[in-house]
Amino acid sequence: MGTDRRFDELIAEGAAAPVDGWGFDWLSGRATEERPPWGYARLVADRMARVAAALDVDTGGGEVLAEVPTGPRLLVATEGWPPNVPVAARNLRRVGATVVAVTPDAGLPFRDAAFDLVVSRHPVRTDWAETARVLRPGGTFLSQQIGPGTVRELSEAILGPLPPPATRHPGQAVAGATAAGLRVVQLRKATLRTVFHDIGAVVWFLRKVVWTVPGFTVDGHRPALARLHRRIEAEGPFVAHARRFLIEATKPA
């Protein structure tokens, strides 16, 4: 009975906590993930300091862009998930960025050659043609992207065995950039240890990172959550592996 009460309490916590924005502070002490070795926020800040106009695509709650110490004269961010838009607007007020709500899968609502720099962390989908269109000649696209089969161990713990991942491969990103007329100048990959200490952290993560278990709900996946809870209680923290890659591409001058 004690274990059942603990399970109920933990999943209730994970189900009730807000998931607005793209910060992961709620997981502090409950889950950890290694950071990629390249330091994406530092790279973005360095490039922002050297351009006149920049765009952050899929800004989430503006968490990365808000860390930029010196922004360009023109700084714009787009976000396609409506609850994140006011969060991003608040977070990005300090850096003087304009947040534009967009419709997923629509083109970027900007003129041709509008930006020296386009950045994006964990985009839902990179529209390479649109990215190339809004970049000025000589401009740069810099993005940290989610790799294939990220935290696959967690997906399979909830859903069972899955086929090999067909999307999000770095080679596909390189091909997309090249087809759009961009030149890839940097490609780096990383596999990052991700640890969940309790089932509440798992629930919160699955609510936020929705592609891990598409259509996830606590009620709909309760038996699998209960099995994973018992495993964590018996064996210790659940370990998965996140996959990330960094891609940098330039538009020929």
Side-chain angles (χ1 to χ4, degrees):
M1 292 297 292
T3 300
D4 291 341
R5 286 198 300 270
R6 175 169 166 78
F7 173 69
D8 290 340
E9 290 168 359
L10 289 171
I11 63 171
E13 290 177 8
V19 291
D20 295 342
W22 200 240
F24 287 78
D25 292 345
W26 191 84
L27 290 178
S28 179
R30 307 185 74 150
T32 59
E33 181 180 288
E34 287 182 296
R35 309 305 298 169
W38 46 76
Y40 177 73
R42 176 183 52 80
L43 294 175
V44 168
D46 174 69
R47 284 155 177 76
M48 288 279 177
R50 294 187 272 135
V51 299
L55 169 65
D56 183 21
V57 175
D58 287 351
T59 195
E63 292 82 4
V64 172
L65 199 56
E67 297 180 19
V68 172
T70 304
R73 292 192 303 274
L74 175 64
L75 184 56
V76 182
T78 66
E79 176 56 28
W81 193 47
N84 276 349
V85 174
V87 177
R90 288 195 303 272
N91 288 338
L92 296 177
R93 194 171 294 126
R94 182 192 65 80
V95 295
T98 299
V99 179
V100 178
V102 296
T103 302
D105 298 324
L108 293 171
F110 309 109
R111 61 179 173 80
D112 295 356
F115 301 102
D116 306 297
L117 174 68
V118 176
V119 300
S120 188
R121 184 184 70 157
H122 305 170
V124 175
R125 179 183 69 89
T126 300
D127 188 326
W128 291 104
E130 281 291 279
T131 299
R133 181 184 66 78
V134 301
L135 274 174
R136 293 171 180 164
T140 295
F141 174 69
L142 178 70
S143 179
Q144 178 176 296
Q145 306 221 353
I146 296 166
T150 193
V151 292
R152 181 183 181 88
E153 300 94 335
L154 179 56
S155 301
E156 293 195 328
I158 304 299
L159 298 173
L162 297 171
T167 61
R168 296 190 176 276
H169 291 276
Q172 293 170 327
V174 170
T178 302
L182 302 177
R183 183 172 67 91
V184 176
V185 296
Q186 181 176 191
L187 180 69
R188 300 179 65 181
K189 309 171 192 176
T191 299
L192 311 168
R193 194 169 185 265
T194 306
V195 181
F196 298 90
H197 292 275
D198 66 68
I199 200 65
V202 169
V203 167
W204 188 88
F205 181 88
L206 293 178
R207 290 175 56 226
K208 190 177 187 72
V209 188
V210 296
W211 53 80
T212 308
V213 176
F216 172 78
T217 65
V218 169
D219 290 341
H221 297 88
R222 192 178 184 91
L225 292 171
R227 287 193 298 271
L228 184 53
H229 169 70
R230 291 192 293 269
R231 176 176 171 181
I232 293 172
E233 293 286 290
E235 302 175 10
F238 180 80
V239 178
H241 296 86
R243 289 173 174 78
R244 303 284 184 265
F245 65 92
L246 180 80
I247 184 167
E248 184 172 10
T250 60
K251 184 173 181 176

